[in-house]
Amino acid sequence: MSLKDKTLFITGASRGIGLAIALRAARDGANVVVAAKTETPHPKLPGTIHSAAAEIEAAGGKALPLMVDVREEESVADAMAKTVERFGGLDIVVNNASAINLSPVEKLDMKRLDLMHQVNARGTYLVSKHAIPLLKASAAAGRNPHILALSPPLDMNVRWFAGSTGYSMAKFGMSMVVLGLSGELKGTVGVNALWPRTTIATSAIRNLLGGDNLMAMSRSPEIIADAAHAIFVKPSSFTGHFLIDDTFLAGEGVTDFDRYRMDPTKALAPDFFVPESIAPPAGATYGPLTG
């Protein structure tokens, strides 16, 4: 099944995981709304909504670059209206935009805490809320609508909170939106969450978390893009799942995970929030994780 002529609204699509998902859909001939804040080049971050749109069109898709602040309801509502005006409707929403700060409670100022909650949990809620009528119309037209959040399984374990309570609250908030909407929209829209087992080579990893060394120990964003594509081509009755990228892809027949490694000579670094109960795929070419 292809995403040809499907319309995707992807937050944070100017770079990283969001852009990788967009490019994978573009290769099918999809329409992609690049909903992000970076309109002019940033000194430390690659890409803008316009450069992403150019890449999407070069890959075979159609693009609509929109400067969108997921914290602002008017911005989101206006973007949805422009999506319909340009492409006639909406079929898939990807809640990818996220803010991160791993400071402990004592050192995390409230301004940064508020930013994470506004972008992560509230932004996911807001974008999904305004998309729902359009996705219901997609369902009525038999176009197989989906909502996907880049957020972790709901594992209420102290290890995921201690030391980074603010970020964990905001990130699990995204997953709570998935949990609720999967029930509210069951039978109409597929609503799922996807999370990486390892760190993914993005600007956040390079600039905030571990520099070039952690980048080398990461997988490329293409693993998330391939997993997202595999979700979107499933029927919308596939819903309410909290998926780990490699385990899900293994179930879809993928066995070679080395192709996603940034440096095959380096051990892979585990990401946060992956429960031990979700084991790596058996029999896959899978490097050792460092703890």
Side-chain angles (χ1 to χ4, degrees):
M1 187 174 178
S2 169
L3 298 182
K4 182 175 174 56
D5 297 327
K6 295 291 182 70
T7 297
L8 291 79
F9 186 102
I10 306 177
T11 65
S14 57
R15 63 182 65 92
I17 290 171
L19 178 57
I21 293 172
L23 293 174
R24 179 63 186 86
R27 294 204 298 272
D28 281 4
N31 309 315
V32 181
V33 180
V34 182
K37 286 185 66 180
T38 308
E39 188 173 29
T40 58
H42 189 283
K44 294 184 178 180
L45 299 172
T48 67
I49 57 174
H50 303 294
S51 64
E55 289 188 56
I56 289 164
E57 298 203 340
K62 296 178 181 178
L64 175 61
L66 296 177
M67 188 171 70
V68 178
D69 187 341
V70 299
R71 299 172 295 177
E72 300 293 337
E73 186 166 16
E74 184 177 352
S75 178
V76 171
D78 181 62
M80 292 292 172
K82 288 177 178 175
T83 298
V84 174
E85 180 182 356
R86 173 68 181 275
F87 295 125
L90 177 63
D91 304 300
I92 296 168
V93 169
V94 181
N95 288 300
N96 166 69
S98 188
I100 181 171
N101 188 301
L102 300 179
S103 299
V105 171
E106 185 178 13
K107 294 184 178 181
L108 181 65
D109 64 70
M110 295 309 295
K111 181 178 180 180
R112 294 180 187 275
L113 175 70
D114 290 344
L115 174 65
M116 287 193 289
H117 281 273
Q118 289 164 0
V119 173
N120 300 1
R122 186 179 183 276
T124 295
Y125 187 103
L126 177 59
V127 171
S128 299
K129 173 182 174 65
H130 280 272
I132 286 172
L134 304 179
L135 295 174
K136 286 182 174 179
S138 173
R143 293 180 59 83
N144 195 42
H146 288 268
I147 294 174
L148 180 67
L150 275 296
S151 65
L154 284 167
D155 183 33
M156 297 294 101
N157 189 313
V158 67
R159 67 184 290 199
W160 307 131
F161 289 84
S164 58
T165 297
Y167 174 68
S168 298
M169 290 169 61
K171 209 65 192 174
F172 280 122
M174 295 175 69
S175 297
M176 292 172 70
V177 175
V178 169
L179 184 66
L181 283 182
S182 68
E184 290 185 26
L185 300 177
K186 188 173 183 179
T188 305
V189 180
V191 185
N192 298 285
L194 177 63
W195 192 247
R197 182 178 302 279
T198 72
T199 54
I200 300 296
T202 63
S203 296
I205 292 295
R206 184 187 300 279
N207 296 337
L208 300 176
L209 300 181
D212 291 340
N213 184 55
L214 190 55
M215 287 285 282
M217 298 170 69
S218 301
R219 284 173 168 163
S220 70
E222 281 68 33
I223 189 171
I224 300 294
D226 287 347
H229 185 276
I231 293 168
F232 300 149
V233 299
K234 287 186 174 294
S236 56
S237 56
F238 183 80
T239 194
H241 300 282
F242 293 85
L243 305 165
I244 300 299
D245 55 0
D246 58 5
T247 298
F248 172 65
L249 284 171
E252 298 299 301
V254 176
T255 57
D256 178 13
F257 292 95
D258 280 348
R259 62 193 172 106
Y260 298 116
R261 297 177 74 162
M262 298 301 293
D263 185 342
T265 70
K266 302 287 187 181
L268 290 165
D271 207 336
F272 308 105
F273 307 132
V274 180
E276 293 177 358
S277 59
I278 306 179
T285 53
Y286 187 87
L289 290 178
T290 59

